[in-house]
Amino acid sequence: MGVPISLAALKSRDLPLATVATARFCRSGGKGIAGLAAPIALCPRAGGKAGFGPVLAKITRMNIAMLSQPASGATIVPGIFLDPVAIAIVLGGTAASMVLRNRLGDVARALVALRVLWRRPLVADAMLDQVAALERIARRHGLFSLDRSVIADPDMAAAIEAAIDGETPEQVEAIVTQRVQARAERHRAAIEVWTGAAEAAPAMGLVGTILGLVQMFATMTDPARIGAAMAVALLATLYGALLANLVALPIASRLKRLARAEAVQRVRLAAPLARLATLDRARGTISAREVAA
């Protein structure tokens, strides 16, 4: 009894399937073929001397030739991955989540923090050199002479002002520590904004997927609108994943590393600045050249 075999099965990319199909065809004597018959040249010669070795070799060459050809429709058009509706759902939903979960000041600080993403981590060596120079001036002329010094860093300026006002070394060190902690807290708030965005983006992608599926099921009778709804459903998930893993999370990670490095470096200033409070507050005068130094 012949086994129904189609030519499509013989030309399939599946090597075992094509081999078995050809073997069945040869055993059936070409009977029971659906559609066109397989090439007779693939069958072994009469008498069984040739066997199925040549058949397997020919099928292998046929499959290799077919696999080497590019699949039809494999070209990717970048424009098909752009959908304004899906973009609006993901970006708008993520932005709304950022605003609702955080204070507006923290959101603004998180956006401003984008300017420092590519900066090098803070190194306090230059500030330590400045503190050492100020200490030499204070030893010669007293702490009051530092009141005319120009200090750009606000933490250093606050600590030196406290030393000039007569605070103890412990109090000056506490001021530096408190300002470092306050700065770290502001950085942490900005980092949490981007971490929250990374959490919200995939969820907004899922929302877009649900909305797209609902629209697709509602327009099943209109084939022209099914494709657009399905595009929203699929692309919203894609946009959410990309926004979370390629934008929000990398930003949060970089800001976290910069904030950690800055906190470690600023703690190094506490002891030198506290040492200024042990010096005499008034002693002689100071020249303009020493102040500039």
Side-chain angles (χ1 to χ4, degrees):
M1 178 178 180
V3 180
I5 305 169
S6 64
L7 183 61
L10 294 175
K11 292 185 177 181
S12 170
R13 292 172 181 257
D14 189 348
L15 177 59
L17 176 61
T19 305
V20 172
T22 305
R24 290 180 178 178
F25 167 77
C26 295
R27 286 198 301 267
S28 66
K31 299 178 181 180
I33 305 300
L36 297 176
I40 300 298
L42 295 178
C43 297
R45 297 177 181 177
K49 295 182 180 180
F52 282 95
V55 176
L56 181 61
K58 291 180 180 181
I59 293 295
T60 302
R61 289 195 296 270
M62 181 181 69
N63 279 272
I64 292 176
M66 295 181 63
L67 289 173
S68 63
Q69 298 176 358
S72 59
T75 303
I76 298 178
V77 181
I80 64 176
F81 293 99
L82 296 177
D83 189 277
V85 177
I87 293 175
I89 292 173
V90 175
L91 291 183
T94 303
S97 175
M98 293 170 64
V99 173
L100 294 175
R101 296 176 61 172
N102 305 276
R103 297 188 302 112
L104 291 180
D106 294 337
V107 175
R109 190 175 294 111
L111 296 177
V112 173
L114 296 176
R115 298 182 303 178
V116 305
L117 282 179
W118 308 110
R119 289 184 184 177
R120 294 182 179 180
L122 176 68
V123 178
D125 292 345
M127 291 187 287
L128 289 173
D129 294 340
Q130 185 179 10
V131 173
L134 294 174
E135 183 179 358
R136 290 193 297 268
I137 295 174
R139 288 184 183 278
R140 293 181 58 186
H141 305 285
L143 281 175
F144 283 143
S145 62
L146 302 183
D147 197 25
R148 299 169 55 186
S149 301
V150 178
I151 303 173
D153 187 76
D155 294 352
M156 287 180 54
I160 292 174
E161 183 180 358
I164 294 174
D165 291 341
E167 301 290 347
T168 63
E170 291 77 12
Q171 291 173 328
V172 173
E173 186 172 359
I175 290 174
V176 176
T177 303
Q178 290 172 1
R179 294 184 70 90
V180 170
Q181 292 176 351
R183 184 184 296 271
E185 185 61 31
R186 292 194 299 270
H187 291 168
R188 187 180 300 110
I191 293 169
E192 288 179 353
V193 172
W194 290 109
T195 303
E199 296 174 355
M204 293 302 107
L206 180 60
V207 170
T209 299
I210 295 174
L211 294 178
L213 291 176
V214 170
Q215 182 181 3
M216 183 185 69
F217 289 132
T219 58
M220 292 296 289
T221 57
D222 187 0
R225 299 174 60 185
I226 293 178
M230 179 59 73
V232 172
L234 297 178
L235 291 177
T237 301
L238 175 64
Y239 295 155
L242 294 179
L243 181 60
N245 294 282
L246 297 183
V247 179
L249 277 180
I251 291 175
S253 298
R254 290 188 66 89
L255 291 178
K256 189 179 299 183
R257 287 196 299 270
L258 292 173
R260 187 185 302 114
E262 183 174 359
V264 171
Q265 292 296 317
R266 287 189 175 277
V267 168
R268 297 172 58 192
L269 299 173
L273 290 172
R275 193 163 54 243
L276 292 177
T278 62
L279 304 178
D280 294 336
R281 300 177 63 191
R283 181 183 294 179
T285 59
I286 183 172
S287 65
R289 181 177 298 178
E290 290 174 325
V291 171

